[in-house]
Amino acid sequence: MLSSNTTDEDNSKDSLAEQHSQIPARPMQQLWQKEFGHLPTMPSLFSPRPHSTVPSGYLDSHNDGVSPASAMSRSKSTRSENGFPSLISPPFTPTTTPGSPTLGPQPGIPVESVQVPEKLMKELPEVSCVVRARIPTTTGTEIFLHLYTNSIDNKEHLAIVFGNKIRSKSLDAPRPGETEMDRMIRGAYTGRLHPGRTTSREKGKIEERKPAGPALVRIHSECYTGEIAWSARCDCGEQLDEAARLMSLDPAGGAVVYLRQEGRGIGLGEKLKAYNLQDLGNDTVQANLMLRHPVDARSYGLATAILQDLELSEIRLLTNNPDKIAAVEGPNKEVRVVERVAMVPLAWKNMKGGVTGKEVSEYLKTKITQMGHMLPLPEGV
């Protein structure tokens, strides 16, 4: 009985298949078959490239006016053999497919195919310091925190100013209809605030606006993991602390321009994905490329504009990055870097407090050997 039922069932399936083959194609299928010579098949189920997280205005400022339409036109060359647009982004699709064994180092990733944003903007953005406040710190040094708005994104970029001789032009500029109390509340005052004070300027005192000699400056990009989460994958937190220490000791004071471009410009979420790729055996450069990001997506036009607002036309720049020096000076040399001050890891100088470990050593080695950072590589690293 079982054998008979199985035979009847198979015959039924054959009959249904034969009936299905005799069903005429629907009009859309007929059009497709006429155009491409075959019926459509299912497209690839690989995840498409995620939507861009680049802020509005970024492309216009960085990519010579490349429009979304012209960018989309490049997809014509990515059609698969069956006529469907390929859902795999061609430049940096890993050589292994989803669900395959873990990805190891990926040699020969084509860096030239990444659209790297221009670090040197053709025109500087407009910036405005909207508020300034005195911050007493845990080390005993007082700083003045300046918060900026700008014309290219909605992020709150900062200037951390050491000393009282560096001031913001846009902050001090009078605003229509404001009172003396309004000026003090937004930080446009001289001297120090105290209970009962009624004017923004101290009577009988003229405050010198410019530091004695070129100020020490650090252009620092936000690093949540290194500054907040105690990460030993990078030395960003150490660099910020060391910059603050040096500026607090300098008679000319200094300023840290703090730019909100996390993860070398790719954002915190993508940066965490890159960390997972690093745990799978890739370095920081390979991880960015495998996620279809530039090696370094940062730009520094905002930093130049903020330095202009702080009237710092000549600076001593704390950096190991040669690209940053040229970029910070601006398209028309609005700021001049008169000296580069190296940021040597504390551990490499046998000093206490430095970040140590395998991850940070590999990270620094990659920055030196692949990104051109100007830092001598110690033996054994």
Side-chain angles (χ1 to χ4, degrees):
M1 293 294 292
L2 181 60
S3 176
S4 175
N5 288 341
T6 304
T7 304
D8 291 342
E9 186 175 321
D10 291 340
N11 291 337
S12 177
K13 289 181 179 178
D14 292 341
S15 177
L16 287 172
E18 184 179 355
Q19 293 176 26
H20 180 74
S21 65
Q22 296 175 359
I23 296 176
R26 291 189 293 270
M28 184 59 72
Q29 292 175 322
Q30 292 174 345
L31 289 174
W32 186 281
Q33 190 164 16
K34 181 178 179 182
E35 178 70 19
F36 297 101
H38 60 81
L39 290 176
T41 57
M42 287 296 291
S44 167
L45 296 180
F46 286 113
S47 297
R49 181 172 179 168
H51 292 295
S52 172
T53 56
V54 178
S56 60
Y58 184 89
L59 290 175
D60 293 338
S61 302
H62 292 73
N63 295 328
D64 296 327
V66 176
S67 67
S70 63
M72 287 295 288
S73 67
R74 293 192 291 267
S75 66
K76 293 178 181 178
S77 63
T78 64
R79 290 188 176 272
S80 59
E81 293 180 358
N82 62 10
F84 282 98
S86 172
L87 295 183
I88 306 174
S89 181
F92 300 112
T93 300
T95 55
T96 52
T97 56
S100 61
T102 56
L103 296 171
Q106 301 295 308
I109 297 175
V111 178
E112 68 275 4
S113 62
V114 183
Q115 191 171 16
V116 181
E118 294 180 17
K119 294 177 176 60
L120 189 60
M121 295 181 177
K122 290 184 172 65
E123 294 182 2
L124 294 180
E126 297 178 4
V127 299
S128 177
C129 182
V130 295
V131 65
R132 160 185 175 263
R134 180 182 65 88
I135 308 290
T137 70
T138 55
T139 63
T141 301
E142 287 189 346
I143 62 174
F144 288 89
L145 192 61
H146 298 60
L147 186 144
Y148 281 84
T149 58
N150 66 86
S151 59
I152 62 173
D153 65 35
N154 295 321
K155 297 178 181 180
E156 295 177 326
H157 302 276
L158 304 167
I160 306 168
V161 172
F162 293 76
N164 58 6
K165 296 181 180 180
I166 300 174
R167 298 188 63 88
S168 161
K169 291 188 298 182
S170 61
L171 179 76
D172 287 341
R175 298 177 184 177
E178 71 176 354
T179 64
E180 285 294 296
M181 182 59 70
D182 292 333
R183 288 186 62 82
M184 289 190 288
I185 290 173
R186 64 181 180 85
Y189 62 85
T190 59
R192 294 175 68 92
L193 295 179
H194 55 78
R197 183 168 173 175
T198 57
T199 61
S200 60
R201 293 191 175 274
E202 290 184 313
K203 295 181 179 179
K205 291 186 178 181
I206 300 176
E207 194 165 272
E208 187 179 355
R209 290 184 60 90
K210 292 186 178 181
L216 200 57
V217 168
R218 165 77 182 162
I219 310 300
H220 190 89
S221 296
E222 178 181 24
C223 178
Y224 182 91
T225 50
E227 298 158 11
I228 306 299
W230 312 285
S231 172
R233 289 184 183 268
C234 67
D235 63 337
C236 299
E238 176 186 319
Q239 287 184 329
L240 183 62
D241 291 344
E242 181 65 3
R245 186 186 71 83
L246 294 173
M247 291 176 191
S248 66
L249 298 174
D250 198 307
V256 176
V257 179
Y258 190 90
L259 300 177
R260 311 303 290 272
Q261 43 188 10
E262 174 72 60
R264 296 202 301 271
I266 68 175
L268 183 56
E270 294 298 287
K271 175 181 175 180
L272 296 180
K273 294 178 185 177
Y275 281 175
N276 291 331
L277 283 169
Q278 290 174 36
D279 283 345
L280 290 170
N282 304 280
D283 62 37
T284 182
V285 168
Q286 292 168 334
N288 271 35
L289 296 179
M290 290 172 69
L291 290 170
R292 308 178 181 100
H293 295 300
V295 173
D296 192 342
R298 293 174 295 181
S299 62
Y300 299 100
L302 279 169
T304 310
I306 290 173
L307 291 175
Q308 273 196 303
D309 183 65
L310 295 173
E311 298 188 278
L312 296 177
S313 57
E314 293 187 345
I315 63 173
R316 292 176 292 130
L317 187 63
L318 281 160
T319 187
N320 300 323
N321 186 349
D323 292 339
K324 188 181 291 187
I325 297 172
V328 166
E329 288 193 324
N332 299 307
K333 301 296 181 183
E334 289 85 353
V335 174
R336 192 164 73 92
V337 177
V338 298
E339 181 186 355
R340 181 186 75 87
V341 182
M343 298 290 289
V344 181
L346 297 180
W348 292 8
K349 298 188 292 184
N350 296 318
M351 295 176 64
K352 294 182 179 179
V355 180
T356 59
K358 176 185 176 182
E359 287 87 352
V360 71
S361 295
E362 290 297 323
Y363 170 78
L364 292 170
K365 182 179 179 180
T366 300
K367 289 175 75 173
I368 294 169
T369 60
Q370 298 192 44
M371 300 174 68
H373 282 218
M374 298 180 290
L375 196 63
L377 190 63
E379 294 184 6
V381 175

